[in-house]
Amino acid sequence: MVNRRKALITGLLLLIGYAVVQLMLSMGLIDPFYENMLMNIGINIMLAVSLHLIIGVTGQFSIGHAGFLAVGAYVSAVLTTKLDQPFLPAILAAGVAAALFGILVGVPTLRLRGDYLAIATLGFGEIVRITLYNIDYVGGAAGMQVRHLTNWTYLYIAVIVMIIVIANLTNSAHGRALLAIREDEVAAEAMGVNTTYYKVLAFAVGAFFAGIAGAMYAHQFYVIQPVAFGFLKSFEILVIVVLGGIGSLSGAILAATLLSLVNIYLQAFPETRMILYSLVLILVMLYRPQGLMGNREITDLLKRRLGKEA
Amino acid sequence: MRVLETRGLGIRFGGLRAVQELDLFLDQGELVALIGPNGAGKTTVFNMLTGVYKPTEGEIRFFGERIDGMSPYALTRKGIARTFQNIRLFQQLSVLDNVRIAHQVNTHHTFIDSILRLPRFGREERRMLEESRALLETMGLLAVADEAARNLSYGQQRRLEIARALATHPKLLLLDEPAAGMNPRETHELMEMIERVRKTFGMTILLIEHDMSLVMNISERIYVLDHGVLIAHGGPEDVRKNPRVIEAYLGEAAEDALA
Ligand SMILES: Nc1ncnc2c1ncn2[C@@H]1O[C@H](COP(=O)(O)OP(=O)(O)OP(=O)(O)O)[C@@H](O)[C@H]1O
Ligand SMILES: [Mg+2]
């Protein structure tokens, strides 16, 4: 059972990775600056990989991902801060609420393709932001104070669970149905793929994890404001997915890590960030339209190397 | 047994009556051809039979059950599979995955099974893999199973289209100009393969062909469509001699000569 052994080794490595960082954190070896950076990377990985499922795997060009992030952030924040609920159920509620919005967006946009779908999802993101802006209960433009509850353990588990779910989903008959939709919707239907169901599924699962990312985000940075969930945030997530290579999960993780690192050092100059993103996007389009990883995975590259040595 | 039957089938695109008053049937195990000049409405008939277009007139029955208006995926699940005239493979995916996607019509593991990798997932995936490889073997594509579909030769792509359709376990197979763009040798091999498929799987086949001579030998009956109207129906010999058919094809030859 090669597979079982591989799973065991991977599991062990993941556990060690977790334990080492946790130990360093509790011994105070990682200062708050780097801890923050770590959290940022984790949240961006969640956003990028969940959008990767919608764009990279299913081929639905959605640019309203920050909307799902916002739903998750606000739902969880209201639960913990206003209603004094514990964090864990708030995280799950954030995911479920965002997934419901995913279905809500998924259903009417089923008939839309390409540019039209992009515009509709963009509209969704803006509606969420503007609605939050106008609800006094959650502080309107000033936003909400949120307790700091996110920690390394929660985020690590969330990221790993998400990667396992999305990778396992992709590498199954259901994932191939999603890929078929990306490749040719008419042919997919003709092969018996219920494209309606699968598109909504992709939106729901993608939104679910973006919502969980929202819960992590809200309880990491003390305050949430509608302005943080605008188009620019959606654009940022899109840039990560494109940079990683549309269709590559490991590419999304790699690019999320890279851009988060760059971001930290540019935090003081928000305008420069947007210029940088635009530049990255243009350069990728010009010189490497397939992104860093193309549609391959890191595991493919490892396999190739091992294959050569064998 | 009557596999397929249409009555008064028709569709309008604005003012254009692309197909009208079409009565057509297929019995179990038959190989029937649908021929006609360019723009006659052949592909449009397929699009109605497979739910891509909703007919504006008439009805379609599949094993006696009304199926007009059903969605394409539901019809595939009922047992109607097709190939596309303008090849529509999943270009970036492997040959094997192209076939496996079609096989998933018959899987029973839910996406929860997949995410949690429950035993049912492993069983079903293994079964799909074996069936897909067997099918690729039959179609002479096993050697290129791991290639991306877009890297195949034109003839291989056409064969993969058929393999993919077969993977859905159809009761009725609709082939839209499967020999288009092939050289005479490839065409000959293809026709033999269609015969073989028909025998091994006991399949009922409706075959669209532009070129009349190609289908004369292998089909039991032939329907001839021209400008959306059925102008002839019968055995190959009757159809060949039918003056309206000759006229339709002569007209086309004349148009070609003028062009
Ligand atoms: N979606 C559509 N909208 C408008 N007109 C259409 C549509 N689909 C087909 N037609 C028209 O219907 C007529 C029949 O087209 P169809 O593709 O069925 O012909 P065909 O017999 O398959 O021809 P060919 O041998 O060239 O493949 C043509 O005039 C075509 O332009
Ligand atoms: Mg046609």
Side-chain angles (χ1 to χ4, degrees):
Chain A
M1 288 308 284
V2 182
N3 264 336
R4 195 156 294 166
R5 227 181 74 198
K6 226 165 65 186
L8 206 69
I9 294 173
T10 316
L12 267 174
L13 284 176
L14 286 174
L15 214 62
I16 293 171
Y18 164 77
V20 167
V21 174
Q22 181 59 33
L23 208 69
M24 287 169 80
L25 279 170
S26 53
M27 290 178 6
L29 291 177
I30 299 178
D31 73 47
F33 176 80
Y34 288 105
E35 185 179 350
N36 223 351
M37 183 161 97
L38 217 52
M39 297 300 178
N40 233 316
I41 292 175
I43 290 166
N44 279 334
I45 288 178
M46 293 201 74
L47 289 172
V49 173
S50 57
L51 185 62
H52 149 82
L53 180 71
I54 298 173
I55 293 187
V57 178
T58 319
Q60 304 302 302
F61 202 72
S62 164
I63 49 174
H65 214 53
F68 302 127
L69 175 71
V71 169
Y74 274 85
V75 165
S76 60
V78 165
L79 282 172
T80 57
T81 311
K82 304 249 181 202
L83 306 174
D84 276 325
Q85 296 300 311
F87 191 34
L88 191 59
I91 296 175
L92 293 176
V96 171
L100 289 177
F101 273 89
I103 294 170
L104 210 72
V105 180
V107 171
T109 51
L110 283 173
R111 293 171 183 284
L112 305 174
R113 304 222 166 116
D115 304 348
Y116 296 102
L117 177 66
I119 291 166
T121 52
L122 173 70
F124 158 75
E126 285 303 282
I127 290 170
V128 170
R129 187 178 64 82
I130 291 164
T131 308
L132 291 170
Y133 200 86
N134 286 298
I135 300 178
D136 290 334
Y137 182 67
V138 294
M144 257 177 95
Q145 298 279 340
V146 187
R147 278 158 51 208
H148 182 99
L149 296 170
T150 302
N151 61 31
W152 168 247
T153 307
Y154 279 121
L155 187 61
Y156 193 81
I157 292 175
V159 169
I160 298 300
V161 167
M162 175 197 65
I163 292 175
I164 291 174
V165 166
I166 291 183
N168 281 357
L169 181 61
T170 309
N171 295 314
S172 78
H174 301 281
R176 289 193 293 272
L178 299 176
L179 289 167
I181 293 174
R182 179 189 77 189
E183 293 293 306
D184 187 327
E185 221 177 306
V186 174
E189 274 271 332
M191 292 309 121
V193 174
N194 183 346
T195 53
T196 307
Y197 168 81
Y198 279 108
K199 278 200 244 174
V200 174
L201 179 73
F203 267 102
V205 175
F208 177 82
F209 288 111
I212 296 208
M216 297 295 159
Y217 177 99
H219 296 82
Q220 172 65 23
F221 300 112
Y222 300 99
V223 62
I224 49 174
Q225 291 175 316
V227 66
F229 306 104
F231 168 65
L232 291 182
K233 186 69 195 174
S234 293
F235 181 62
E236 184 182 329
I237 309 167
L238 179 69
V239 169
I240 295 176
V241 172
V242 172
L243 176 65
I246 289 193
S248 169
L249 193 153
S250 30
I253 297 175
L254 195 70
T257 311
L258 260 169
L259 274 198
S260 312
L261 290 177
V262 173
N263 246 337
I264 301 279
Y265 296 101
L266 290 177
Q267 217 148 35
F269 325 96
E271 308 82 16
T272 358
R273 251 167 75 187
M274 287 335 290
I275 297 172
L276 178 83
Y277 287 153
S278 310
L279 262 177
V280 166
L281 207 55
I282 292 169
L283 289 177
V284 169
M285 292 302 171
L286 283 179
Y287 296 106
R288 207 172 155 79
Q290 73 276 39
L292 291 175
M293 297 290 298
N295 58 7
R296 288 162 313 184
E297 299 296 346
I298 289 195
T299 44
D300 296 344
L301 301 180
L302 288 177
K303 252 184 243 158
R304 191 162 311 163
R305 170 140 317 161
L306 289 175
K308 269 192 195 130
E309 280 168 12
Chain B
M1 193 172 20
R2 192 126 300 185
V3 174
L4 182 79
E5 179 153 32
T6 72
R7 281 212 204 99
L9 188 65
I11 187 166
R12 291 168 197 263
F13 296 114
L16 175 76
R17 296 189 75 176
V19 175
Q20 45 183 309
E21 292 294 324
L22 178 66
D23 295 335
L24 174 151
F25 70 87
L26 265 95
D27 284 332
Q28 182 70 46
E30 271 193 307
L31 197 165
V32 173
L34 177 61
I35 66 170
N38 264 323
K42 306 179 296 289
T43 299
T44 304
V45 170
F46 270 23
N47 282 335
M48 287 191 285
L49 295 179
T50 54
V52 176
Y53 293 160
K54 276 199 169 64
T56 47
E57 288 131 42
E59 56 178 62
I60 308 171
R61 283 175 191 276
F62 185 59
F63 289 99
E65 180 194 357
R66 279 288 289 270
I67 58 160
D68 38 287
M70 285 190 180
S71 58
Y73 87 91
L75 290 172
T76 306
R77 283 161 184 253
K78 281 203 172 297
I80 303 179
R82 74 178 290 180
T83 65
F84 293 92
Q85 180 175 359
N86 48 345
I87 302 177
R88 299 190 83 130
L89 293 169
F90 305 121
Q91 294 288 345
Q92 291 193 64
L93 305 185
S94 71
V95 169
L96 178 66
D97 278 348
N98 268 268
V99 174
R100 274 202 289 187
I101 283 164
H103 259 311
Q104 70 116 34
V105 168
N106 310 293
T107 56
H108 303 290
H109 66 283
T110 64
F111 85 95
I112 302 291
D113 292 325
S114 317
I115 289 169
L116 300 178
R117 298 274 132 127
L118 297 179
R120 188 152 64 165
F121 166 82
R123 264 201 317 274
E124 293 274 311
E125 290 282 334
R126 263 194 305 279
R127 188 181 57 77
M128 261 185 283
L129 183 65
E130 277 160 23
E131 281 184 33
S132 300
R133 295 182 71 90
L135 193 57
L136 287 177
E137 171 114 67
T138 316
M139 303 299 285
L141 291 168
L142 194 55
V144 289
D146 295 325
E147 282 289 330
R150 60 154 182 251
N151 295 335
L152 297 189
S153 75
Y154 193 72
Q156 286 174 321
Q157 294 202 8
R158 288 245 174 246
R159 263 186 288 154
L160 180 54
E161 277 252 340
I162 299 177
R164 200 176 59 165
L166 286 173
T168 65
H169 293 307
K171 300 186 179 100
L172 171 65
L173 181 62
L174 308 176
L175 302 173
D176 196 346
E177 303 203 22
M182 285 186 171
N183 63 38
R185 193 177 57 85
E186 283 175 321
T187 306
H188 179 74
E189 281 171 11
L190 180 81
M191 290 301 158
E192 278 187 339
M193 205 193 61
I194 292 174
E195 270 294 326
R196 207 166 55 235
V197 162
R198 183 187 171 199
K199 290 213 182 87
T200 10
F201 299 92
M203 194 77 66
T204 310
I205 301 175
L206 182 59
L207 172 71
I208 289 185
E209 195 32 80
H210 183 84
D211 180 354
M212 179 157 54
S213 59
L214 253 178
V215 295
M216 283 298 163
N217 301 323
I218 60 167
S219 38
E220 274 132 34
R221 290 184 295 117
I222 298 176
Y223 288 91
V224 190
L225 220 53
D226 188 24
H227 293 294
V229 181
L230 187 67
I231 56 168
H233 165 223
E237 280 314 310
D238 301 334
V239 165
R240 198 207 299 270
K241 284 186 230 130
N242 187 310
R244 291 185 70 186
V245 177
I246 294 168
E247 194 185 329
Y249 272 88
L250 276 179
E252 192 185 42
E255 272 166 33
D256 285 352
L258 286 174

